[in-house]
């Protein structure tokens, strides 16, 4: 197997807060292990407060109290050590240059009172080791590749539309040709028409510069269109992982199955069934499997013990006793909801 | 509420220091009710005795015990400060909430009144007020006058909060639940502004005591009522500092400074608690 | 046939800019549509951000007045509702559902107070027991019960539960029309369908008409009977949901339709990967 671009082992990141002596611990990321291959877009899906944002904050080394990393390791291929063994100066060196970030709101990286040119200068210039005119040559060529006119460099962020700003944020994140890009819901705030173009741009840029990427969004249809592999998180845990296509055709975990089955699409009027209950409070997660209170397949075992993320013979990974116990006998079917037990959803 | 106070006392040094100072002053105020001498009478003790066991803070040139004078004066000053703060808070709340919520013409009229009050120079107006009222000047009259000048900054602040609350979805939810404007203001919006108002109330008490002291020291209030300000006024009249009766000036000044610092620390320490996020976090959100 | 809601040539413009260079910005531009009383339906208003859909919703709810045009609800021009009693009467019949369920309830207040206030003002429940019964009945219609909600603060309930409570509150007055502005866009995927399905039930069983405002074509296709496509304040296409969304005519609708990411693209995108 080739070397992974990012390998995360048993990562645990909790929010530990104290208000006037009341201690609270929110287990936002609890024992997550995954690896991102080179040149791959690894998608992370999940609903709000499933831990996906915390996860990427952690792998981007952007943690601040009350968030704390309590254990685990994060290794990038371009680093000889664990991410958390680096000091602040070394971290600043790798940011943008090796590891860059596309945020949900482009305003998070673009300073509203500075022209786009200055933002490029602030972020990318120190990393490129080029003279000023050479640097702007590179920037101009990069912008052209992304079909952005170099004239936007003299604009202020507020003069651009939302979609345009997001393209600038992408240009900014990729101008140093980083090995690794972390994208946090980069298209969520955009309108559908713009969203499609921005996704195409991300895909194209990623292929062109050959970086690896973690792409986080709650929107499964976006994942279907961009991620090579998909990890689904629920209540701070990674519960299923596999090639995106396979997850859409044959989701294994009951939760993923529900997510895929409940997606409305044009041309499909079959009744969509809703899941009962709600995601747990991560300050007091349920015992055993965190999905068991909502799961139609839950057994006593699920209530007591937490299933490990196990690798199946197909190479996919899933954290569910019901699936892992009978991997060979489970009928492989393309039809998404034929399993009798799921009629009860 | 008790739990909040206990937690604040334990985990917030400013709060602890502030409340100790305020409690000392309150202790003195309570003690004033047990004064062995009628506060308005003079020549009840031998004059100009320095602090001693018989007279803790000495006596003044008018034959009064300074400690008991300070106690009564502090009581009046504090009562004055609280009255001004409460009256002006009520005005600020009504104007701020209504202006922010109702908006439109009402808002424009109320805010232009508000801004007029902001630019009125306080001191000349109060001086003028004294010369107009003269013999009718009592601390109640002065309190009302100062309260009607002390609300506009707060009203602006409250209005800005009310303005943002008006556009929140829960306000529309309340309207469509059939709640009346009064109910929405009193029950939905008031809880958001009260903590902030609480903090500014403490500051306003300080402000009004300070202003009262200033006016009294130059004799622009009813000098018959013992307050911290009039005490200093009488001390000045008897040239206490020149005569070496330093305790007559030092005692009221020290007490009122203790009060100032105490209230200031309390209002500062409230800030953390006032943040609605902190409140929600305590509720377990 | 009587008309439940008729919107006639509705326009709303806002003045932009300061003292100098004041410009008009037209948020809603001559929009007309109507809903019939006899056939309760889910009427979707679809538009991107800035299309004026929320402004339109506010005008229908009578929380914003139009620059020109008339909205008639059951024959009455709603801009003529001046007295408090008229407005209450209107609110009894027309109720809103909000976008963000955790914002729709005051975080410092218990959720049930809104239910009880509605029962008091709209269902005429003067006694405490009466209010509790009315609230419980409404909550049962959305698959909850008063026991689950009573005394709870918003942060103690999930987004889905809150949104259903909000719907239950709207139902207490037995409205004829519900205006729902992006009611599921902030609700998590695993809870979204419960809300969407609930709208169908309201239409079919309680005969409530629903104006469903959204940017999401897929859920609109799934639940609505008719759709109206709004672009920069103008109606570009209106008609049966199936027809408009499967065979759009207007170029803008076509573009919207083509921009939807489809799951079938999974194959196409990943054949190389």
């Amino acid at each position: 197997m080739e070397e992974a671009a990012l390998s995360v082992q048993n990562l645990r990141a909790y929010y530990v807060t104290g208000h006037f002596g009341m201690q609270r611990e929110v287990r936002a990321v609890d024992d997550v292990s995954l690896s991102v291959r080179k040149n791959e877009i690894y998608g992370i899906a999940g609903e709000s407060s499933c831990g996906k944002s915390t996860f990427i904050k952690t792998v981007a080394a952007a943690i601040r109290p009350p968030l704390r990393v309590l254990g685990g390791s994060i290794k990038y291929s371009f680093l000889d050590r664990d991410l958390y063994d680096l000091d602040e100066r070394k971290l600043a060196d790798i940011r943008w240059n090796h590891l860059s970030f596309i945020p949900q709101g482009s305003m998070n990286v673009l300073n509203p009172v500075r022209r786009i040119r200055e933002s490029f200068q602030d972020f990318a210039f120190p990393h490129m080791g080029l003279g000023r005119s050479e640097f702007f040559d590179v920037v101009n060529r990069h912008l052209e590749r992304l079909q952005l006119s170099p004239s936007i460099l003299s604009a202020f962020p507020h003069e651009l539309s939302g979609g345009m700003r997001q393209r600038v944020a992408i240009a900014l994140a990729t101008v140093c040709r980083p090995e690794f890009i972390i994208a946090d819901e980069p298209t969520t705030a955009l309108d559908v028409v713009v969203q499609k173009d921005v996704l195409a741009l991300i895909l194209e840029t990623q292929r062109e510069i050959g970086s690896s990427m973690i792409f986080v969004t709650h929107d499964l249809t976006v994942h279907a269109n961009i991620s090579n592999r998909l990890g689904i998180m629920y209540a701070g845990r990674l519960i299923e992982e596999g090639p995106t296509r396979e997850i859409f055709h044959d989701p294994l975990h009951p939760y993923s199955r529900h997510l895929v089955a409940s997606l409305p699409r044009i041309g499909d009027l079959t009744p969509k069934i809703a899941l009962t209950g709600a995601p747990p409070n991560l300050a007091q997660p349920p015992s055993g499997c965190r999905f068991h209170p909502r799961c139609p397949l839950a057994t006593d075992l699920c209530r007591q013990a937490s299933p490990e993320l196990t690798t199946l013979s197909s190479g996919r990974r899933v954290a569910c006793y019901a699936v892992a116990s009978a991997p060979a006998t489970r009928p492989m079917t393309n039809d998404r909801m034929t399993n009798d037990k799921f009629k009860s959803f | 509420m008790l739990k909040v106070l206990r937690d604040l006392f334990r985990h917030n040094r400013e709060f602890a220091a502030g409340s100790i100072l305020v409690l000392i002053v309150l202790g003195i105020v309570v003690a004033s009710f047990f004064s062995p001498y009628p506060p308005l009478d003079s020549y009840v003790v031998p004059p100009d005795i320095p602090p001693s066991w018989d007279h803790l803070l000495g006596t003044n040139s008018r034959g009064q015990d300074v400690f008991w004078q300070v106690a009564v004066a502090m009581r009046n000053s504090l009562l004055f400060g609280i009255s001004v703060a409460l009256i002006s808070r009520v005005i600020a709340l009504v104007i701020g909430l209504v202006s922010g919520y109702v908006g439109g013409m009402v808002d424009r009229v109320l805010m232009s009144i508000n801004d007029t009050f902001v630019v009125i120079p306080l001191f000349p107006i109060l001086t003028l007020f004294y010369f107009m009222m003269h013999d009718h000047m009592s601390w109640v009259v002065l309190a009302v006058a100062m309260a009607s000048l002390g609300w506009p900054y707060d009203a602006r602040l409250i209005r800005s909060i009310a303005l943002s609350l008006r556009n929140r979805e829960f306000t529309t939810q309340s309207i469509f639940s059939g709640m009346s404007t009064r109910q929405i203001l009193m029950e939905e919006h008031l809880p958001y502004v009260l903590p902030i108002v609480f903090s500014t109330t403490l500051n306003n008490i300080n402000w009004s005591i300070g202003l009262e002291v200033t006016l009294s020291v130059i004799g622009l209030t009813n000098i018959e009522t013992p307050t911290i300000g009039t005490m200093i006024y009488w001390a000045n009249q008897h040239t206490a500092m020149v005569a070496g009766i330093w305790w007559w000036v030092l005692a009221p000044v020290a007490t009122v400074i203790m009060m100032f610092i105490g209230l200031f620390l309390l209002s500062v320490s409230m800030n953390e608690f006032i943040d609605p996020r902190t409140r929600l976090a305590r509720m377990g959100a | 046939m009587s008309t439940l809601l008729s919107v006639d040539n509705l326009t709303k413009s806002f003045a932009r800019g300061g003292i100098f260079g004041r410009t008009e910005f037209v948020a809603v531009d001559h929009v007309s549509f109507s809903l019939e009383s006899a056939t309760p339906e889910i009427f979707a208003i679809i538009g991107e951000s800035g299309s004026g859909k929320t402004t339109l919703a506010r005008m229908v709810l009578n929380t914003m007045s139009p620059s020109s045009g008339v909205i008639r609800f059951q024959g009455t021009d709603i801009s003529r509702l001046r007295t408090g009693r008229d407005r209450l009467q209107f609110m009894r019949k027309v109720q809103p559902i909000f976008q963000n369920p955790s914002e729709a309830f005051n975080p410092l207040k218990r959720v049930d107070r809104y239910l009880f206030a509605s029962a008091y003002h709209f269902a005429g429940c003067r006694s405490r027991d009466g209010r509790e019964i009315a609230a419980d009945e409404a909550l049962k219609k959305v698959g909850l019960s008063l026991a689950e909600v009573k005394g709870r603060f918003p942060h103690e309930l999930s987004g889905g539960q809150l949104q259903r409570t909000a719907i239950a509150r709207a139902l207490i007055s037995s409205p004829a029309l519900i205006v729902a502005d992006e009611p599921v866009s902030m609700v998590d995927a695993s809870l979204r369908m419960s809300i969407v399905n609930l709208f169908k039930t309201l239409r079919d069983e309680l005969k409530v008409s629903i104006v469903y405002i959204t940017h999401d074509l897929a859920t609109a296709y799934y639940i609505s009977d008719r759709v109206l496509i709004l672009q920069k304040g103008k109606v570009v296409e209106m008609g049966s949901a199936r027809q408009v969304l499967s065979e759009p005519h207007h170029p803008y609708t076509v573009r919207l339709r083509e921009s939807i990411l489809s799951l079938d693209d999974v194959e196409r995108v990943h054949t190389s990967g």
Side-chain angles (χ1 to χ4, degrees):
Chain A
M1 195 164 161
E2 58 178 323
E3 197 202 350
L6 164 67
S7 113
V8 176
Q9 290 296 324
N10 305 96
L11 184 67
R12 285 187 300 132
Y14 296 174
Y15 291 89
V16 185
T17 51
H19 280 293
F20 305 109
M22 275 187 6
Q23 281 281 334
R24 242 157 59 96
E25 193 179 72
V26 173
R27 305 180 184 183
V29 171
D30 212 358
D31 204 10
V32 168
S33 303
L34 58 82
S35 64
V36 180
R37 297 178 195 142
K38 287 210 160 135
N39 297 324
E40 174 183 58
I41 300 185
Y42 187 99
I44 295 181
E47 1 187 40
S48 59
S49 75
C50 72
K52 57 188 193 305
S53 318
T54 310
F55 178 77
I56 51 173
K57 271 185 208 154
T58 316
V59 294
I63 63 158
R64 281 189 184 77
L67 178 61
R68 281 188 213 162
V69 173
L70 276 92
S73 71
I74 299 170
K75 285 199 175 74
Y76 284 100
S77 58
F78 54 82
L79 282 177
D80 52 352
R81 301 164 261 188
D82 192 279
L83 184 65
Y84 282 93
D85 292 338
L86 299 177
D87 55 28
E88 269 306 314
R89 244 194 61 234
K90 185 82 173 99
L91 270 178
D93 276 352
I94 63 158
R95 281 203 187 111
W96 300 102
N97 211 0
H98 296 283
L99 175 65
S100 76
F101 189 68
I102 308 175
Q104 172 167 5
S106 46
M107 280 316 212
N108 290 341
V109 287
L110 300 178
N111 186 335
V113 295
R114 286 170 83 76
R115 293 178 195 278
I116 305 288
R117 179 198 316 282
E118 288 159 337
S119 288
F120 268 94
Q121 218 166 319
D122 293 348
F123 288 119
F125 186 66
H127 294 296
M128 307 273 275
L130 297 172
R132 273 185 62 92
S133 62
E134 283 165 298
F135 169 72
F136 278 106
D137 279 350
V138 172
V139 170
N140 285 347
R141 257 182 284 135
H142 185 66
L143 288 175
E144 268 162 32
R145 254 202 310 270
L146 302 190
Q147 280 149 20
L148 284 165
S149 149
S151 66
I152 57 136
L153 282 178
S154 50
F156 283 103
H158 65 87
E159 295 172 327
L160 306 173
S161 70
M164 205 54 129
R165 277 204 295 266
Q166 201 61 347
R167 277 165 214 256
V168 171
I170 292 166
L172 195 54
T174 51
V175 67
C176 301
R177 307 178 77 84
E179 281 99 326
F180 206 94
I181 302 170
I182 296 169
D184 180 12
E185 306 253 9
T187 60
T188 306
L190 303 176
D191 280 323
V192 274
V193 176
V194 185
Q195 167 172 289
K196 190 159 189 170
D197 296 344
V198 170
L199 280 180
L201 181 68
I202 293 178
L203 202 58
E204 219 178 277
T205 318
Q206 179 261 340
R207 281 188 184 157
E208 202 256 328
I209 63 178
S211 33
S212 322
M213 184 183 244
I214 282 188
F215 193 102
V216 171
T217 176
H218 69 281
D219 189 342
L220 279 182
T221 50
V222 171
H223 281 302
N225 285 272
I226 195 159
S227 307
N228 304 116
R229 281 196 305 150
L230 185 59
I232 295 179
M233 286 186 75
Y234 182 79
R237 296 236 158 114
L238 192 64
I239 53 130
E240 179 162 1
E241 180 200 68
T244 309
R245 193 175 5 162
E246 286 177 34
I247 289 192
F248 274 96
H249 278 278
D250 182 32
L252 297 174
H253 195 282
Y255 176 69
S256 339
R257 281 200 220 181
H258 166 77
L259 285 185
V260 173
S262 69
L263 285 172
R265 35 194 120 176
I266 290 187
D268 173 11
L269 284 171
T270 52
K272 306 288 179 194
I273 297 118
L275 204 56
T276 55
N281 176 353
L282 291 180
Q284 296 141 336
S287 65
C289 172
R290 290 181 181 179
F291 187 60
H292 87 254
R294 307 173 75 188
C295 183
L297 306 178
T299 61
D300 283 341
L301 179 61
C302 305
R303 282 181 263 278
Q304 283 150 17
S306 180
E308 294 282 317
L309 193 64
T310 21
T311 311
L312 306 180
S313 52
S314 56
R316 292 172 63 181
R317 296 194 297 165
V318 61
C320 177
Y321 290 121
V323 177
S325 61
T329 55
R330 253 194 96 259
M332 290 293 274
T333 161
N334 259 351
D335 201 330
R336 293 176 183 95
M337 274 289 153
T338 45
N339 198 326
D340 280 348
K341 281 182 172 162
F342 282 89
K343 292 260 167 73
S344 61
F345 261 136
Chain B
M1 196 63 202
L2 268 179
K3 193 172 167 302
V4 170
L5 290 180
R6 197 199 63 204
D7 287 350
L8 270 171
F9 201 86
R10 250 185 228 166
H11 300 286
N12 193 317
R13 230 181 267 161
E14 287 91 1
F15 184 83
S19 40
I20 287 171
L21 287 176
V22 170
L23 281 175
I24 292 174
V25 176
L26 285 182
I28 297 174
V29 166
V30 170
S32 74
F33 290 102
F34 305 101
S35 170
Y37 317 106
L40 294 175
D41 290 5
S42 41
Y43 301 107
V44 289
V45 287
D48 296 343
I49 301 176
S52 66
W53 277 117
D54 286 338
H55 303 286
L56 272 180
L57 298 174
T59 64
N60 64 20
S61 312
R62 304 176 75 208
Q64 295 161 320
D65 184 301
V66 171
F67 176 80
W68 296 110
Q69 276 290 304
V70 163
V72 173
M74 197 61 231
R75 179 174 84 196
N76 286 336
S77 284
L78 190 62
L79 208 62
F80 176 81
I82 292 174
S83 322
V84 173
L86 287 185
I87 300 171
S88 64
R89 268 348 69 164
V90 171
I91 304 174
L93 274 172
V94 171
I95 298 210
L97 286 176
V98 169
S99 186
Y101 177 72
V102 179
M105 202 59 206
V106 175
D107 181 35
R108 255 170 285 157
V109 170
L110 287 177
M111 279 306 111
S112 48
I113 297 173
N114 186 87
D115 295 345
T116 313
F117 272 90
V118 169
V119 296
I120 285 180
L122 277 179
F123 200 74
I125 289 280
L126 287 171
T127 312
L128 193 70
F129 188 71
Y130 170 75
F131 287 118
M132 272 166 57
M133 298 301 287
H134 225 74
D135 290 341
H136 308 287
M137 194 76 171
S138 69
W139 75 264
V140 179
V141 173
L142 185 66
V144 172
M146 274 173 59
S148 49
L149 292 170
W151 56 268
Y153 288 100
D154 250 39
R156 267 247 174 245
L157 180 70
I158 293 166
R159 171 183 171 268
S160 68
I161 300 166
L163 215 53
S164 72
L165 290 174
R166 173 171 75 153
N167 294 324
R168 299 268 295 260
E169 287 179 348
F170 71 75
T171 305
T172 318
Q173 177 96 285
S174 316
I175 296 172
F176 277 85
S177 300
M179 293 185 198
S180 64
T181 303
R182 190 194 57 81
Q183 259 180 313
I184 291 171
L185 294 184
M186 298 293 292
E187 291 166 27
E188 300 284 324
H189 292 177
L190 193 60
Y192 272 87
V193 296
L194 261 192
I196 297 159
V197 170
F198 189 65
S199 157
T200 64
T201 306
L202 299 180
N203 285 328
N204 198 264
I205 294 175
N206 271 347
W207 172 81
S208 39
I209 294 178
L211 200 55
E212 190 270 339
V213 169
T214 317
L215 290 171
S216 301
V217 166
I218 50 180
L220 294 178
T221 58
N222 177 7
I223 46 173
E224 298 306 322
T225 316
T227 66
I228 295 291
T230 52
M231 235 185 123
I232 301 171
Y233 170 81
W234 282 116
N236 283 341
Q237 288 296 310
H238 289 80
T239 56
M241 287 309 276
V242 181
I245 324 284
W246 51 268
W247 52 90
W248 194 0
V249 176
L250 189 70
V253 168
T255 318
V256 84
I257 285 178
M258 230 152 75
M259 188 76 208
F260 281 168
I261 295 175
L263 285 178
F264 174 72
L265 287 177
L266 283 190
S267 94
V268 167
S269 62
M270 286 287 141
N271 279 336
E272 189 185 355
F273 180 69
I274 281 163
D275 188 347
R277 277 170 303 185
T278 318
R279 267 198 289 169
L280 285 172
R282 288 181 55 88
M283 281 159 73
Chain C
M1 215 151 106
S2 69
T3 308
L4 179 71
L5 176 76
S6 86
V7 172
D8 197 15
N9 261 319
L10 199 66
T11 300
K12 177 77 188 181
S13 50
F14 296 100
R16 248 192 200 170
I19 308 164
F20 307 108
R22 236 172 142 80
T23 52
E24 285 249 305
F25 163 71
V26 182
V28 174
D29 199 353
H30 294 95
V31 171
S32 304
F33 63 90
S34 68
L35 308 182
E36 296 302 323
S37 306
T39 48
E41 63 173 324
I42 298 179
F43 183 77
I45 296 176
I46 300 176
E48 297 183 275
S49 55
S51 63
K53 53 189 198 299
T54 299
T55 310
L56 183 57
R58 288 198 181 146
M59 288 191 284
V60 171
L61 284 169
N62 204 11
T63 56
M64 185 187 269
S65 47
S67 306
S68 70
V70 181
I71 303 171
R72 286 199 177 77
F73 180 74
Q74 294 180 336
T76 326
D77 180 352
I78 61 170
S79 66
R80 285 165 196 273
L81 304 174
R82 290 261 177 258
T83 65
R85 195 196 294 165
D86 283 350
R87 279 169 184 269
L88 273 186
Q89 202 58 39
F90 172 75
M91 289 193 279
R92 178 182 307 220
K93 291 287 165 209
V94 181
Q95 281 283 338
I97 306 286
F98 303 97
Q99 175 172 16
N100 188 347
S102 54
E103 260 283 293
F105 293 98
N106 189 338
L108 302 174
K109 292 282 177 174
R110 289 185 173 82
V111 169
D112 52 17
R113 69 183 256 104
Y114 301 93
L115 294 159
F116 295 151
S118 283
Y120 179 84
H121 293 285
F122 298 130
C125 303
R126 291 291 179 258
S127 74
R128 193 203 177 112
D129 287 346
R131 285 201 287 274
E132 293 200 352
I133 291 167
D136 193 43
E137 268 174 14
L139 284 164
K140 293 238 163 75
K141 288 177 194 158
V142 300
L144 289 168
S145 68
L146 187 58
E148 290 169 76
V149 171
K150 198 177 169 190
R152 299 292 195 95
F153 285 98
H155 64 79
E156 295 174 304
L157 300 170
S158 75
Q161 278 173 315
L162 281 175
Q163 196 60 302
R164 277 188 287 161
T165 309
I167 296 172
R169 194 211 50 75
L171 289 177
I172 287 178
S173 62
S174 346
L177 179 68
I178 282 180
V179 178
D181 189 359
E182 299 267 12
V184 293
S185 67
M186 306 284 273
V187 177
D188 276 323
S190 71
L191 306 166
R192 187 170 298 164
M193 274 309 156
S194 68
I195 307 289
V196 170
N197 289 336
L198 184 59
F199 283 131
K200 278 187 159 180
T201 320
L202 298 185
R203 175 197 59 191
D204 297 339
E205 288 171 16
L206 300 175
K207 309 292 178 207
V208 183
S209 285
I210 294 160
V211 173
Y212 173 63
I213 292 161
T214 185
H215 66 274
D216 179 14
L217 276 70
T219 54
Y221 180 89
Y222 176 63
I223 60 163
S224 48
D225 303 291
R226 283 197 298 153
V227 296
L228 180 157
I229 315 275
L230 212 54
Q231 184 197 17
K232 292 182 181 155
K234 288 196 173 77
V235 180
V236 296
E237 197 162 355
M238 178 158 67
S240 133
R242 319 278 169 266
Q243 219 163 18
V244 171
L245 295 177
S246 355
E247 299 153 28
H249 288 300
H250 191 279
Y252 178 71
T253 322
V254 174
R255 196 148 64 92
L256 269 185
R257 176 74 182 76
E258 278 171 355
S259 306
I260 305 181
L261 299 170
S262 137
L263 291 182
D264 309 322
D265 293 344
V266 176
E267 296 293 339
R268 197 174 48 70
V269 175
H270 299 299
T271 38
S272 58

